Amino acid sequence: MQGMSRARVARRIAAGAAYGGGGIGLLGAATVGVVLAEVQLAKRNVGNGHVDPPRADGRYGGAFAAAAARPTHAEPVRFAMLGDSTAAGQGVHRARQTPAALLASGLAAVAERPVDLRNVALPGAQSDDLDRQVTLILSDPSWVPDVCVIMIGANDVTHRMPPTRSVRHLSAAVRRLRTAGSEVVVGTCPDLGTVENVYQPLRWLARRVSRQLAAAQTIGAVEQGGRTVSLGDLLGPEFAAHPRELFGPDRYHPSAEGYATAAMAVLPTLCAALGLWPEEERPDVSRREGFLPVARAAARAASEGGTEVTAAMPTGPRGPWALLKRRRRRRIHAPDPSPLPH
């Protein structure tokens, strides 16, 4: 019943985004205000000593660079990262520890090709900044990304952006990138209930708001031809159990190990979007994979981290359907996780 309720809320938010509706309250306005005030207070308490994230742009997969120079070899994979501070790698000090660098080096290892990374993510960004970021990525017609990863949503929640507006901006970004010829993978809203300075019962409420937005993001992204990977519930239990290892020094953003956990969840879907990951002929029922109405798939994914949702049948008895998969996470040992000058 809870999953069905979350599916209905996510469907309402996504429908409001598609048809220009106003903000649909996820919880009572007063309750949401208290939750967000608590999260903002937590951010202020940890926000001192802010340091810009390291720049990770460049070419990854140095072991394959010489081969790529041969005329018969395929061109480097073009990979773009968009989103907020999590996508930018806030909280770590080395470029190779950022999620974009981890994904680029992992993608190079799987593809056995160099990967050119461009990261336009902005700390503090909300979903309404995605239009600017997409414009930056598509501004060079000679460098259209083969695949993009978007990680966004936490600032939308903490700044009380109406969820319909949030999803509308994300959907528009996915649509523009797909129209340009890029595959798109969205890491949905993280679980704000894992922030250490947010206490019960507000921790539970923050988790609920985060999951509702994540489910609505999934519907919006999948309907525009993207894929999503849920991060909230994946990171939530692990962060709660190992806060000293998975949170960074500011106690708000992930640590290097936290980013590695997220990257391991996103990498299989990133590779699958480019046809580089082995696909089973049918969903694995033992892993509770299967075809579902997109709203139900989105709601289930929001509660079960590391779950991929991608478009399946365009229509069914209950509207569009999606394929829900639980890909096995693998740590990729890339030969050199640092970018090369090029």
Side-chain angles (χ1 to χ4, degrees):
M1 291 300 294
Q2 184 179 9
M4 293 294 291
S5 175
R6 186 176 294 122
R8 284 194 295 270
V9 171
R11 193 183 304 114
R12 287 173 57 211
I13 294 170
Y19 296 106
I24 299 176
L26 301 182
L27 297 168
T31 302
V32 172
V34 173
V35 172
L36 302 185
E38 187 83 0
V39 175
Q40 289 283 28
L41 178 61
K43 289 180 67 176
R44 283 196 296 271
N45 288 341
V46 303
N48 297 327
H50 169 80
V51 177
D52 289 334
R55 296 296 302 172
D57 295 45
R59 177 162 293 178
Y60 290 76
F64 311 109
R70 296 198 297 265
T72 55
H73 201 280
E75 291 292 318
V77 178
R78 296 181 296 272
F79 167 41
M81 192 82 167
L82 305 88
D84 55 21
S85 58
T86 303
Q90 187 80 47
V92 295
H93 302 291
R94 296 177 177 83
R96 65 174 182 267
Q97 297 172 326
T98 64
L102 292 166
L103 289 171
S105 57
L107 180 57
V110 174
E112 298 186 343
R113 291 165 57 186
V115 172
D116 287 344
L117 167 66
R118 293 187 183 178
N119 192 342
V120 296
L122 179 68
Q126 300 173 52
S127 291
D128 56 6
D129 190 57
L130 287 177
D131 181 63
R132 181 192 65 83
Q133 294 184 28
V134 171
T135 298
L136 276 176
I137 286 296
L138 299 180
S139 61
D140 181 358
S142 68
W143 199 92
V144 176
D146 298 302
V147 65
C148 300
V149 170
I150 302 173
M151 299 172 70
I152 199 112
N155 294 316
D156 296 10
V157 174
T158 60
H159 288 80
R160 306 182 69 173
M161 178 181 286
T164 50
R165 182 182 170 201
S166 174
V167 173
R168 186 157 55 243
H169 285 296
L170 175 61
S171 298
V174 174
R175 182 169 58 251
R176 287 182 63 193
L177 293 168
R178 294 289 292 130
T179 300
S182 300
E183 298 293 336
V184 181
V185 177
V186 176
T188 54
C189 182
D191 183 357
L192 295 178
T194 61
V195 177
E196 283 192 291
N197 288 4
V198 177
Y199 303 105
Q200 294 289 16
L202 299 179
R203 184 183 296 272
W204 176 84
L205 294 171
R207 175 166 291 129
R208 182 177 173 187
V209 172
S210 303
R211 289 183 179 180
Q212 287 177 334
L213 178 58
Q217 287 178 316
T218 294
I219 296 174
V222 168
E223 288 183 344
Q224 298 302 327
R227 301 177 184 226
T228 65
V229 179
S230 55
L231 299 180
D233 194 65
L234 169 75
L235 298 181
E238 297 186 35
F239 275 44
H242 308 286
R244 295 295 179 264
E245 292 80 17
L246 297 182
F247 276 114
D250 65 6
R251 320 311 307 154
Y252 185 79
H253 292 96
S255 65
E257 187 62 30
Y259 281 129
T261 299
M264 281 191 294
V266 174
L267 181 61
T269 298
L270 178 65
C271 294
L274 293 173
L276 300 172
W277 206 260
E279 296 283 358
E280 297 81 5
E281 292 185 4
R282 57 178 58 88
D284 187 342
V285 178
S286 68
R287 292 170 56 83
R288 291 178 295 135
E289 298 180 342
F291 296 96
L292 293 168
V294 65
R296 286 184 57 194
R300 185 174 295 181
S303 298
E304 301 177 22
T307 305
E308 174 190 319
V309 180
T310 188
M313 295 169 282
T315 187
R318 301 179 187 176
W321 281 55
L323 173 60
L324 185 144
K325 293 186 70 67
R326 293 176 175 83
R327 297 187 184 275
R328 291 178 173 84
R329 287 184 275 161
R330 304 180 191 176
R331 185 182 293 275
I332 300 296
H333 297 284
D336 182 3
S338 300
L340 300 172
H342 71 284

